[in-house]
Amino acid sequence: MRVIRDTAAMQALAIERRSKGVNTALVPTMGALHEGHLSLIRLAHEHGDEVDVTIFVNPTQFGPGEDLSRYPRTLERDLELCRKEGVATVFCPNDGEVYAADHSTQISETSLSSGLCGAYRPGHFDGVVTVVAKLFNIMLPTAAVFGRKDFQQARAIQRMVRDLNFPVRIVLAPIVREPDGLAMSSRNRYLSEAEREQALSISRALKAAETEVAGGSENAEVLQRAAEAAITAAGLEVQYVACVDADTLEPVARVGRQVVLAVAALVGNTRLIDNVVLQPSAS
Ligand code: AMP
């Protein structure tokens, strides 16, 4: 497995591989790898001759007062996991390799990024789509795999790829959960035992909504209120609980097909997100 920190060296390798007809599938990450990331790597093997992973805690997607400085960094362990998963190349640059000190160009996706997390994290998705565009230009992947866990992020990236004609196929992967339902996240490391227990209220509320919808409920307001009440009762501070159209991310009043129930909530200082695709009963 190649481990590359230098942007020019990485891009040169990518160009050389391309010229030889090698198709690569990319899994961009911020490291502190867990089974969710590994599931993306396994899926990526189905979409390229070689799988690349990037490990980069992207400063431009963190707002002031967010957890950039304390974000978990476990590079040696991450590299070991990548090796075991048959990754061909890991690109793990430092900040200076990715952003010039006087960088002054960025990309904004202005529609899908504005609500949900975008309303609470101004500038976050500009940082995300900009770094993903930069990584696509450095890594030259044929395909790239993103998790549905970060559903809004995945949709914003799909829109960027469409709008700016990036020749990259975007593949979405299902959410990987702990056995008790908690969506895996690098930020779960921040949780105390008590907070972790409280955090379970999120996946439980989503599961309850799923069951309601499968049983015939279709009133989004009622579902949202029930989920919010359950999560608040567990002691979390809810930022949003929203039934949105899976394509437009606009709020819906009725749960038809293609509706996602998305949640963001704080447990202590830790911000967690989760979502579920609601499947209405066939009748
Ligand atoms: P991150 O390192 O948190 O930026 O995540 C890197 C990629 O892994 C993103 O595409 C995430 O959506 C994806 N990911 C993170 N957690 C999970 C999970 N529990 N299940 C599936 N994909 C995930």
Side-chain angles (χ1 to χ4, degrees):
M1 186 176 80
R2 306 177 200 94
V3 179
I4 301 181
R5 290 172 175 276
D6 180 83
T7 300
M10 184 62 237
Q11 200 175 40
L13 170 70
I15 291 168
E16 188 196 328
R17 284 188 311 198
R18 265 263 158 120
S19 70
K20 288 182 181 154
V22 177
N23 290 323
T24 57
L26 173 66
V27 180
T29 81
M30 298 205 299
L33 301 184
H34 51 66
E35 274 297 321
H37 297 112
L38 303 187
S39 76
L40 269 52
I41 294 173
R42 287 168 201 150
L43 183 57
H45 280 293
E46 297 173 21
H47 293 273
D49 306 316
E50 293 189 3
V51 172
D52 291 348
V53 171
T54 58
I55 299 176
F56 178 58
V57 183
N58 173 38
T60 66
Q61 70 188 71
F62 288 78
E66 291 190 349
D67 57 344
L68 174 61
S69 59
R70 68 184 183 114
Y71 196 84
R73 287 161 169 88
T74 59
L75 186 60
E76 285 314 313
R77 186 176 165 275
D78 292 349
L79 293 177
E80 201 42 54
L81 289 170
C82 287
R83 231 171 250 123
K84 284 198 186 122
E85 295 296 333
V87 171
T89 307
V90 176
F91 178 53
C92 47
N94 53 38
D95 292 0
E97 277 297 329
V98 177
Y99 293 102
D102 60 349
H103 71 99
S104 53
T105 308
Q106 68 167 15
I107 298 175
S108 295
E109 189 292 312
T110 56
S111 172
L112 302 170
S113 301
S114 58
L116 304 174
C117 290
Y120 293 87
R121 305 186 70 188
H124 168 69
F125 289 111
D126 293 348
V128 169
V129 293
T130 299
V131 80
V132 170
K134 286 165 70 65
L135 291 171
F136 284 177
N137 285 334
I138 297 165
M139 309 297 293
L140 303 179
T142 316
V145 185
F146 294 89
R148 287 183 184 274
K149 155 88 173 17
D150 299 87
F151 189 71
Q152 188 177 15
Q153 165 176 291
R155 296 287 300 111
I157 290 165
Q158 286 177 316
R159 179 64 62 89
M160 174 200 71
V161 163
R162 186 201 72 181
D163 288 353
L164 300 184
N165 305 93
F166 276 91
V168 180
R169 193 168 70 255
I170 302 298
V171 178
L172 299 192
I175 300 176
V176 177
R177 299 179 179 281
E178 302 283 358
D180 59 10
L182 183 68
M184 289 195 184
S185 163
S186 304
R187 291 191 165 97
N188 290 350
R189 294 163 183 258
Y190 299 150
L191 302 175
S192 67
E193 214 170 300
E195 286 174 334
R196 197 189 172 290
E197 188 57 36
Q198 289 176 284
L200 282 178
S201 64
I202 299 176
S203 52
R204 285 183 184 143
L206 293 177
K207 192 89 207 149
E210 239 185 325
T211 308
E212 285 292 313
V213 168
S217 294
E218 51 179 38
N219 185 320
E221 180 72 35
V222 170
L223 292 164
Q224 287 164 189
R225 255 196 257 125
E228 178 162 0
I231 298 167
T232 306
L236 279 71
E237 182 187 328
V238 171
Q239 289 191 333
Y240 63 77
V241 175
C243 288
V244 297
D245 181 276
D247 285 329
T248 65
L249 303 188
E250 291 292 332
V252 296
R254 207 189 124 262
V255 178
R257 272 193 281 169
Q258 296 294 330
V259 169
V260 170
L261 177 58
V263 172
L266 294 165
V267 49
N269 292 324
T270 305
R271 186 175 186 279
L272 299 177
I273 57 171
D274 199 350
N275 69 83
V276 67
V277 181
L278 297 174
Q279 307 284 2
S281 58
S283 57

